[in-house]
Amino acid sequence: MTAEEKARRKRQGYSDRQLMVHIGWNEVVLARRTGMSLTSLRRALNGEAPPLRSEIREWMQGMSSYLKDNPCPRLKPLAFDVNEEITAKNE
C-alpha cells in the first residue's frame, strides 16, 4: 500500500469518526447498527483497513445533515457565542 493510500484512509476514517460523534454514537453503537464487527469498524476508522462502505457513509452524512437542520430545542440559550473559542479557566 502506498503512503498516499494510507493517508487517504486515515483522513476518511477521521471524517467518518467525526460523523459518528456528531450523530451521538460511539463505536459500539455504530458497529451494532451496521452489522460490522467492532474490530473491523475500529480498523476502518483508524485507517488500517478499507474505509466504511459508501452507503454507510452516505447514510451517516444524511443523519448528520438532518441533525444540523433540526437541532434539539434548548431550555436556555447557550452561555457562550457559538463562534467564540472556549478556554479553560485557571482556578
Side-chain angles (χ1 to χ4, degrees):
M1 181 182 334
T2 65
E4 293 85 21
E5 177 65 17
K6 286 181 183 179
R8 187 187 67 74
R9 281 185 178 186
K10 284 192 178 257
R11 282 192 307 272
Q12 189 64 57
Y14 180 77
S15 175
D16 292 341
R17 193 178 296 276
Q18 286 182 313
L19 287 171
M20 181 183 71
V21 169
H22 184 254
I23 293 170
W25 292 351
N26 60 26
E27 293 170 345
V28 174
V29 174
L30 181 58
R32 187 180 309 137
R33 294 212 180 228
T34 59
M36 293 180 70
S37 73
L38 189 54
T39 303
S40 296
L41 175 64
R42 285 183 176 156
R43 286 180 180 157
L45 294 175
N46 291 333
E48 299 165 359
L52 296 177
R53 292 188 344 231
S54 61
E55 57 266 12
I56 293 173
R57 185 174 305 106
E58 289 170 8
W59 181 76
M60 288 173 51
Q61 288 170 340
M63 291 285 291
S64 180
S65 292
Y66 177 81
L67 291 172
K68 286 177 189 171
D69 295 340
N70 300 286
C72 176
R74 296 203 176 267
L75 297 177
K76 296 190 280 184
L78 293 173
F80 57 88
D81 183 14
V82 174
N83 297 322
E84 179 182 320
E85 185 176 328
I86 300 172
T87 57
K89 295 181 180 179
N90 295 330
E91 295 184 29

